[in-house]
Amino acid sequence: VQLQASGGGLVQAGGSLRLSCAASTATFSRRYMGWFRQGSGQEREFVAAIRWNGGNTYYADFVEGRFTVSKDNAKNTVYLQMSSLKPEDTAVYYCAGASNVILSAIRDPRQYNYWGQGTQVTVSS
């Protein structure tokens, strides 16, 4: 299974971007899809997640309503719509899939067993 993330780029503060993550196969077992990010010299941190069947969503506190995670089951794709971007949102954004999740630990990257290659998001001030 390959996860292909795309949609990153350079945007001014206050702007928007939509990230996409397409899975190479529709049949891999995943209960949740997540987005993580890693800034330069920082640890990978949870951004958002969505339950693949059902659509429950989860967000990091720093999102503060600015980001929306969604999915298109028919396209086997998960999205992260980011608005009101800030310079501190600058990072490489990764999508990930989890076959089994302990819900209380959904923000833990160790829960995710499939990872995409990352897409760079740079927000200029």
Side-chain angles (χ1 to χ4, degrees):
V1 176
Q2 290 185 333
L3 300 179
Q4 183 72 36
S6 61
L10 174 63
V11 64
Q12 289 187 334
S16 300
L17 282 174
R18 188 176 81 156
L19 306 183
S20 300
C21 176
S24 60
T25 174
T27 59
F28 87 93
S29 174
R30 53 102 199 236
R31 297 188 64 188
Y32 290 85
M33 293 292 295
W35 287 96
F36 290 79
R37 70 184 188 182
Q38 189 167 16
S40 179
Q42 298 179 358
E43 293 187 354
R44 193 168 298 190
E45 64 177 347
F46 172 80
V47 177
I50 186 166
R51 184 176 178 180
W52 193 250
N53 294 313
N56 305 62
T57 57
Y58 308 85
Y59 295 96
D61 291 342
F62 65 76
V63 168
E64 299 176 323
R66 300 180 297 127
F67 299 175
T68 302
V69 61
S70 61
K71 61 183 177 69
D72 186 328
N73 292 53
K75 295 183 178 180
N76 219 23
T77 299
V78 64
Y79 304 97
L80 184 68
Q81 177 68 49
M82 304 186 294
S83 303
S84 302
L85 283 162
K86 305 174 183 179
E88 50 264 44
D89 294 317
T90 295
V92 177
Y93 283 71
Y94 298 90
C95 63
S99 301
N100 294 290
V101 166
I102 299 173
L103 201 55
S104 61
I106 196 169
R107 293 166 177 78
D108 188 343
R110 295 172 295 180
Q111 296 281 322
Y112 295 78
N113 47 337
Y114 302 99
W115 288 88
Q117 86 288 359
T119 185
Q120 176 71 46
V121 171
T122 303
V123 184
S124 63
S125 57

